[in-house]
DNA sequence: TGTACATCAGTGAACGCGCGTTCACTGATGTAC
DNA sequence: TGTACATCAGTGAACGCGCGTTCACTGATGTAC
């Protein structure tokens, strides 16, 4: 904890790397992230990061994983806030999802993009990714129990939801829909349409 | 047309560039495309491509545009085949869309990805992109006229469709859904769910 | 409490590579007369 | 039909850059006795 004056041992370089990488991604996109630039910006030698991450891919994988964890936390939060009403949970989760993407566009792209190839090599990243799917499936099941969503394989119905959320997020992020400002409204009506199809 | 023996003038370097780039993208992904590699593979000097494209970005934009044109052609074809039944047109177009993406994953990613930044600089690319949206809107309108889709702003309903198609395509392409082989079936049931919501 | 030593997070210089692109040029083509 | 010349698609060498990563190293830390 004696940080002052200690320029040799950084204290929490790993954490700082994750943090600064995330900030660089947010500000300038993934392609702006370089191992050298990162080290320079943190004020550490260019080889220091390699003490904490085997290579650049590993660092990006960790950052992507962090993103999934944040998204998952928000999804769970949305669910918990409306624990008594599954359908409301569902609606909130859909919106929260798109909200997250719109607020963290470059990070969202990293999470789903091709910068991290070879995802098999990062089991914890894959696990974090799976949680999204699991959460959606769970809430669908709950809605089915409350008879707000038609019967059928939950994972299949959940897929429709995820596809919609993912597609809408990306179209918004990439500016393919002129929706500046009223993304929220747009997402709402879109999900209501889907929900109507899921009901019955 | 006297191609034989003429090694100086290629004949159709522009077309060949587009073709080979598309093939490289299909085989190894966009990141594998380099101006040098392209020239080498075609057997032309490394500067020759610059006679036809201002820079790499311009080449990729042209390839992306080509992709949109191919997709649009298939959408129109699907529509024309079922001109008498708007709802059938609609269904076919949805499936054709996902089919295209699954068959041309890397190309599809280029079309919607971040490799081509600065799309404003390529008006014809933007035009080709808009056609997708326009086509979907048109078929939605038609379905509304035949009272197969509920009333409401067609472009908004079309958005739900596009988002679903886009999201499903990407999830499939990126292997985030274990669906090897039965993508088609999966897409069908997913779109049916959406369609149920669009009906009424 | 003091010392010896293993451990590990840092350093700094350098390697080596592939890339996009520019430059001054040359060979082929097509058109005007 | 033959020649002069503008045009344009090619060439080949080279520039210059930023990048990820390796190497042999050194300074700080914590633990065993």
């Amino acid at each position: 904890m004696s940080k002052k004056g200690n320029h040799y041992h950084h204290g929490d370089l790993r954490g700082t790397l994750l943090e600064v990488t995330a900030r660089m991604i947010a500000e300038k996109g993934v392609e702006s992230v370089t191992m050298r630039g990162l080290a320079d910006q943190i004020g550490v030698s260019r080889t220091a990061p390699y003490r904490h991450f085997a290579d650049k891919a590993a660092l990006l994988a960790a950052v992507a994983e962090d993103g999934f964890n944040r998204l998952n936390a928000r999804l769970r939060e949305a669910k918990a806030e409306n624990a008594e009403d599954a359908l409301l949970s569902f609606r909130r989760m859909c919106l929260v999802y798109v909200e997250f993407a719109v607020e963290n566009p470059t990070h969202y792209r990293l999470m789903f993009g091709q910068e991290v190839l070879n995802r098999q090599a990062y089991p914890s990243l894959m696990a974090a990714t799976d949680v999204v799917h699991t959460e959606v499936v769970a809430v669908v099941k709950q809605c089915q129990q409350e008879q707000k969503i038609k019967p059928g394989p939950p994972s299949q119905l959940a897929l429709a939801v995820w596809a919609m959320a993912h597609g809408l997020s990306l179209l918004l992020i990439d500016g393919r829909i002129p929706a500046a400002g009223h993304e929220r409204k747009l997402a709402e009506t879109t999900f209501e349409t889907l929900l109507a199809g899921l009901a019955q």
Side-chain angles (χ1 to χ4, degrees), chain A:
Chain A
M1 285 295 157
S2 65
K3 272 184 186 167
K4 205 178 79 180
N6 181 356
H7 286 289
Y8 202 93
H9 278 90
H10 178 277
D12 182 24
L13 183 50
R14 194 194 136 88
T16 308
L17 279 166
L18 290 174
E19 206 177 287
V20 175
T21 305
R23 192 167 62 235
M24 279 178 85
I25 287 174
E27 285 168 6
K28 308 245 182 188
V30 206
E31 61 284 350
S32 78
V33 175
T34 67
M35 293 302 270
R36 302 159 87 102
L38 226 40
D40 291 355
Q41 187 167 334
I42 294 174
V44 95
S45 86
R46 287 168 169 177
T47 44
Y50 289 92
R51 283 281 138 199
H52 302 277
F53 297 97
D55 50 26
K56 192 184 180 185
L59 171 60
L60 288 182
V63 173
E65 185 184 331
D66 247 36
F68 275 111
N69 288 335
R70 277 166 51 212
L71 171 58
N72 290 334
R74 283 175 64 169
L75 289 178
R76 285 193 179 120
E77 204 179 304
K79 187 202 256 178
E81 277 172 11
N82 306 282
E84 70 297 341
D85 183 347
L87 196 58
L88 195 57
S89 274
F90 187 115
R91 273 192 244 262
R92 285 291 309 145
M93 286 172 77
C94 289
L95 293 179
V96 159
Y97 187 103
V98 175
E99 218 172 85
F100 176 88
V102 170
E103 281 170 15
N104 309 279
T106 47
H107 209 131
Y108 188 83
R109 272 197 211 104
L110 171 63
M111 287 159 60
F112 287 94
Q114 298 294 305
E115 288 83 10
V116 185
L117 302 157
N118 200 22
R119 293 178 117 87
Q120 339 271 23
Y122 309 99
S124 62
L125 169 59
M126 292 187 72
T129 308
D130 286 343
V131 173
V132 181
H133 189 241
T134 310
E135 286 297 326
V136 181
V137 170
V139 80
V140 164
K141 265 187 192 152
Q142 219 173 318
C143 286
Q144 285 180 315
Q145 274 162 21
E146 299 187 13
Q147 314 214 338
K148 300 288 172 41
I149 282 187
K150 67 182 175 185
S155 76
Q156 201 168 291
L157 299 175
L159 169 61
V161 180
W162 193 17
M164 179 69 90
H166 188 50
L168 187 57
S169 295
L170 284 175
L171 290 178
L172 284 171
I173 284 176
D174 292 341
R176 296 226 148 68
I177 303 165
H182 61 288
E183 292 96 348
R184 170 74 179 251
K185 199 84 204 154
L186 207 99
E188 273 176 15
T189 64
T190 304
F191 282 117
E192 285 313 314
T193 301
L194 177 59
L195 220 42
L198 286 169
Q200 287 168 25

